[in-house]
Amino acid sequence: MNTITKPNEIRWVSTTDSAEFTQLSWALTHSSLVALDAEWKPTRSPTQRSSSFPTVSLLQIACRVDSVANSVVPTTEPLRSRVSVFLVDLLAIDLRSLFDPLREAFVSPDMLKLGFRFKQDLVYLSSTFCSQGCDPGFDRVEPFMDITSVYNHLQLKQLGRKPSKQSKSLAAICGEVLGASLSKELQCSDWSLRPLTEDQKIYAASDAHCLLEIFDVFQRNFLEEGDSSDSTTKLPSANVIIGLKEIFEKPDDCDHVCRTKFCQASDMVRSASLSEIRERNLATAGCVSQSISRNTFPLDVSLSKIIRKYGDKLLLKESDRKPRACKKKVKKQSPMSSTCKEIWSNDCIDWQGPPPWDLSIGGDGCPKFLCDVMVEGLAKHLRCVGIDAAVPYVKKPDPRQLIDQAHKEKRVLLTRDAKLLRHGYLIRNQVYRVNNLLKNEQLLEASQDIQLKISEDQLMSRCTKCNGRFIQKPLTTEEAVEAAKGFQVIPNCLFNRNLEFWQCTDCNQLYWEFSFRASKLYISIRNAIPQCNSEIHRRLQAANIARGKCVSSEVAICILSHIIQVEERLLLL
């Protein structure tokens, strides 16, 4: 599955006197569709969450500007595309100057707002602006559509199935609707630190931009459905002229009227009327100067119909503006349990070792890990370097199930969940908390702390899909084609090449050599890490780091980073 495409136009807005702020103000008044998202520093303590709301550090606004409006953009630097993503630094910008244009955009009838579970974001945004004297904050967003409801409508129309009671994550929705993966690695990073990294900016922009792409799929589906309904309602004759009097006198003639055309006309009239009413109200209130800059282009007909049929609104109650007190009762702990926790906290803050596979304690010398749902991506990276990395039996295991599996299979449990450390006394030296967020850094962290040894013959020796081993003898092209029947498609371009194929003994997934891709991987590795010397290059080339199997460049770079940073005496190249 491909990754989500990076937005073409990302603009950083940190001051009100910048060209980016002028473009943002103009885009907010000339966009028919806007996607909203917000980021803040995660709060770990329950008492902190119950005392006050987090301060929003970044507001992402993805604007789809009307095509007519984009041709007459009154800025010194026009927008390069119809879709622009603005990253608003709420820690640096004057919130009082941003409050009015943002509040007007939130309630503009000429703009559909999109969000993903945006109510919490709106509560935190309102609290952040109120703390800077922008009372009474934001209390509503309309018209509004949640991407969850958009996804449910798509499921009902395309597949004919009712929406699942279990809500899906944004990454899962992107995978199903767009066929692309949305990385959420940086979701819990510290968004209050400045400057933000380039990866954080791309992540934040992609989070808002993907909402527009998902809605585009929904809108195209809606238009196709409308076209099919149009074709079924036709006038019987072009010469038929029916007046209102005849329609009321002869109800049967109503069937001859093309209702779709009337709906389209009413939508256009409704859009124009809304703009006129709004401008009239603003003029009455003495805000003529603001009304001149507002969008005077009527909504697209299809967008207006979507709003009328599916549009919703977000309303904040007075109770939503107050942090909820923590109602969790403190349980009395027995002296035994408190003693166990003290022992664990004192002895196992850092990795102590030895791991269960250590030869000195009767192990087999083969590292084995169990990666919980928070570090599933790390499991694939470990498999790429030939390390046994399993995942839980069930999708949402409880701590006891994870501990039982790790103890039974003699694995070290890798997790980012601090709560699991409380159970560490049950399986000493078999729980390791991963501190880094990115998979590449997680692999380096675990390999250094647990002192993993990676040899040449281990690289790409495990199936990244199921953790199984490959067959000992490679398959020929004819054998691979026979083995892939009804299971996997082998590209035709591989048939004329003298390639070797490997097959997983557990899931039967096929892998093959691809010297061209391997050479490109090598070039990208060399460009990405200039500090590695020629000796490392020679060893990598000799070891055939990718072993011809189709792995991503970031995996190969991760392996090279590991080789460079871990002491050379630990490697058996």
Side-chain angles (χ1 to χ4, degrees):
M1 185 181 293
N2 297 327
T3 56
I4 203 80
T5 56
K6 174 186 173 183
N8 293 329
E9 195 167 338
I10 303 176
R11 296 179 181 269
W12 180 260
V13 185
S14 58
T15 59
T16 56
D17 56 353
S18 62
E20 289 78 11
F21 181 79
T22 304
Q23 291 162 348
L24 170 63
S25 302
W26 186 89
L28 285 177
T29 58
H30 293 77
S31 299
S32 57
L33 190 65
V34 167
L36 303 168
D37 193 22
E39 306 292 347
W40 54 86
K41 180 182 179 180
T43 54
R44 308 294 182 186
S45 172
T47 56
Q48 185 179 356
R49 288 196 297 266
S50 61
S51 60
S52 61
F53 290 126
T55 299
V56 178
S57 306
L58 188 70
L59 176 63
Q60 304 102 282
I61 306 176
C63 301
R64 191 174 77 181
V65 181
D66 294 319
S67 56
V68 179
N70 198 27
S71 62
V72 292
V73 54
T75 57
T76 55
E77 183 184 351
L79 303 176
R80 295 188 295 271
S81 63
R82 285 192 62 192
V83 177
S84 297
V85 182
F86 296 91
L87 304 181
V88 187
D89 186 1
L90 298 186
L91 300 181
I93 200 169
D94 182 14
L95 298 186
R96 288 169 294 185
S97 301
L98 180 64
F99 178 66
D100 286 335
L102 202 58
R103 182 178 58 175
E104 187 177 355
F106 280 177
V107 298
S108 170
D110 293 336
M111 179 195 301
L112 175 61
K113 276 71 69 175
L114 303 174
F116 180 73
R117 302 172 188 170
F118 190 68
K119 185 173 182 179
Q120 184 185 43
D121 300 47
L122 184 62
V123 171
Y124 293 173
L125 269 176
S126 182
S127 172
T128 301
F129 276 81
C130 285
S131 65
Q132 299 298 320
C134 303
D135 292 325
F138 307 110
D139 59 348
R140 62 193 176 106
V141 176
E142 62 175 331
F144 174 80
M145 283 191 71
D146 194 286
I147 288 300
T148 302
S149 64
V150 170
Y151 169 76
N152 292 336
H153 290 313
L154 282 173
Q155 293 293 301
L156 187 61
K157 288 181 180 180
Q158 295 178 347
L159 304 178
R161 64 188 184 193
K162 294 182 180 180
S164 174
K165 293 182 180 179
Q166 184 179 1
S167 59
K168 295 216 170 189
S169 64
L170 182 58
I173 293 176
C174 284
E176 290 191 29
V177 178
L178 304 178
S181 62
L182 178 66
S183 174
K184 304 297 289 183
E185 290 183 4
L186 297 174
Q187 182 179 21
C188 296
S189 58
D190 191 349
W191 293 95
S192 63
L193 295 178
R194 292 295 182 271
L196 294 180
T197 65
E198 193 64 26
D199 289 338
Q200 283 181 304
K201 292 180 181 180
I202 295 175
Y203 165 86
S206 300
D207 245 17
H209 184 258
C210 71
L211 304 183
L212 297 181
E213 293 187 328
I214 294 172
F215 183 82
D216 286 342
V217 175
F218 172 74
Q219 189 173 16
R220 287 196 298 269
N221 185 280
F222 183 84
L223 288 174
E224 292 173 0
E225 187 182 65
D227 292 340
S228 61
S229 63
D230 291 352
S231 61
T232 60
T233 55
K234 296 181 180 179
L235 289 172
S237 173
N239 298 324
V240 176
I241 301 176
I242 303 176
L244 287 176
K245 184 177 180 180
E246 286 78 3
I247 290 178
F248 287 116
E249 290 178 352
K250 300 178 181 180
D252 294 341
D253 289 341
C254 293
D255 297 334
H256 299 305
V257 180
C258 181
R259 296 182 181 274
T260 304
K261 300 300 181 183
F262 278 100
C263 290
Q264 293 177 354
S266 65
D267 289 334
M268 295 176 65
V269 173
R270 176 178 174 274
S271 300
S273 301
L274 286 173
S275 298
E276 292 176 2
I277 292 172
R278 177 177 37 73
E279 290 179 3
R280 193 182 305 121
N281 291 339
L282 289 174
T284 305
C287 302
V288 179
S289 60
Q290 293 184 15
S291 67
I292 294 175
S293 64
R294 284 298 306 171
N295 177 18
T296 58
F297 301 101
L299 278 175
D300 178 75
V301 174
S302 64
L303 199 58
S304 179
K305 292 175 68 175
I306 289 175
I307 292 175
R308 186 173 61 181
K309 188 173 182 179
Y310 301 106
D312 200 355
K313 57 185 176 182
L314 279 180
L315 295 176
L316 295 187
K317 301 177 183 178
E318 193 62 32
S319 58
D320 296 327
R321 299 175 178 272
K322 299 178 181 178
R324 296 180 181 179
C326 183
K327 299 180 180 180
K328 189 175 181 181
K329 296 182 179 180
V330 180
K331 296 182 180 180
K332 293 183 179 180
Q333 299 179 355
S334 64
M336 186 65 185
S337 62
S338 60
T339 304
C340 293
K341 289 184 179 180
E342 287 178 6
I343 293 174
W344 173 248
S345 60
N346 292 334
D347 295 343
C348 298
I349 295 176
D350 297 323
W351 174 256
Q352 301 294 320
W357 58 78
D358 194 277
L359 296 174
S360 63
I361 58 174
D364 57 5
C366 299
K368 293 192 294 185
F369 294 96
L370 174 63
C371 300
D372 73 351
V373 292
M374 289 188 173
V375 289
E376 277 189 359
L378 175 59
K380 292 185 177 180
H381 276 49
L382 287 168
R383 294 166 188 171
C384 285
V385 294
I387 295 176
D388 186 350
V391 294
Y393 298 137
V394 295
K395 289 186 177 180
K396 293 185 177 180
D398 55 43
R400 175 63 68 177
Q401 289 174 315
L402 289 172
I403 289 172
D404 288 345
Q405 183 178 350
H407 177 70
K408 181 181 178 181
E409 300 177 4
K410 295 184 178 180
R411 298 180 180 273
V412 169
L413 174 59
L414 300 179
T415 181
R416 281 187 51 80
D417 188 358
K419 295 180 180 179
L420 278 175
L421 297 179
R422 302 173 184 174
H423 307 275
Y425 63 90
L426 297 175
I427 48 172
R428 185 172 294 275
N429 296 331
Q430 285 186 246
V431 179
Y432 177 82
R433 187 188 179 193
V434 181
N435 295 313
N436 287 292
L437 287 171
L438 300 179
K439 293 188 287 290
N440 294 357
E441 297 174 359
Q442 289 173 352
L443 176 58
L444 295 175
E445 175 191 343
S447 63
Q448 290 173 352
D449 290 352
I450 307 179
Q451 296 183 354
L452 299 177
K453 296 181 180 180
I454 301 174
S455 60
E456 172 189 344
D457 56 352
Q458 283 182 307
L459 299 178
M460 289 305 299
S461 60
R462 284 191 172 272
C463 176
T464 58
K465 183 179 179 181
C466 75
N467 195 39
R469 285 283 189 179
F470 293 122
I471 56 175
Q472 295 297 321
K473 182 182 177 182
L475 301 176
T476 63
T477 304
E478 293 76 13
E479 293 173 336
V481 171
E482 186 65 27
K485 282 185 178 179
F487 172 72
Q488 189 176 355
V489 178
I490 299 178
N492 295 331
C493 61
L494 302 180
F495 293 155
N496 297 329
R497 304 188 181 192
N498 187 20
L499 302 178
E500 291 182 339
F501 292 79
W502 288 267
Q503 187 175 28
C504 175
T505 56
D506 292 342
C507 69
N508 297 324
Q509 180 78 18
L510 286 169
Y511 296 79
W512 55 83
E513 272 190 316
F514 207 161
S515 57
F516 174 73
R517 178 172 292 194
S519 63
K520 290 192 71 175
L521 282 175
Y522 181 77
I523 294 173
S524 65
I525 293 170
R526 184 175 56 191
N527 294 337
I529 309 181
Q531 68 268 26
C532 57
N533 54 38
S534 59
E535 177 64 18
I536 292 292
H537 281 294
R538 186 189 65 77
R539 294 189 179 194
L540 280 176
Q541 203 166 18
N544 189 11
I545 188 170
R547 290 287 284 274
K549 303 178 181 95
C550 299
V551 297
S552 63
S553 58
E554 62 186 63
V555 171
I557 292 173
C558 176
I559 298 172
L560 182 57
S561 301
H562 171 80
I563 294 174
I564 293 173
Q565 296 191 23
V566 178
E567 291 183 3
E568 196 169 337
R569 61 184 175 83
L570 295 178
L571 301 175
L572 305 176
L573 288 177

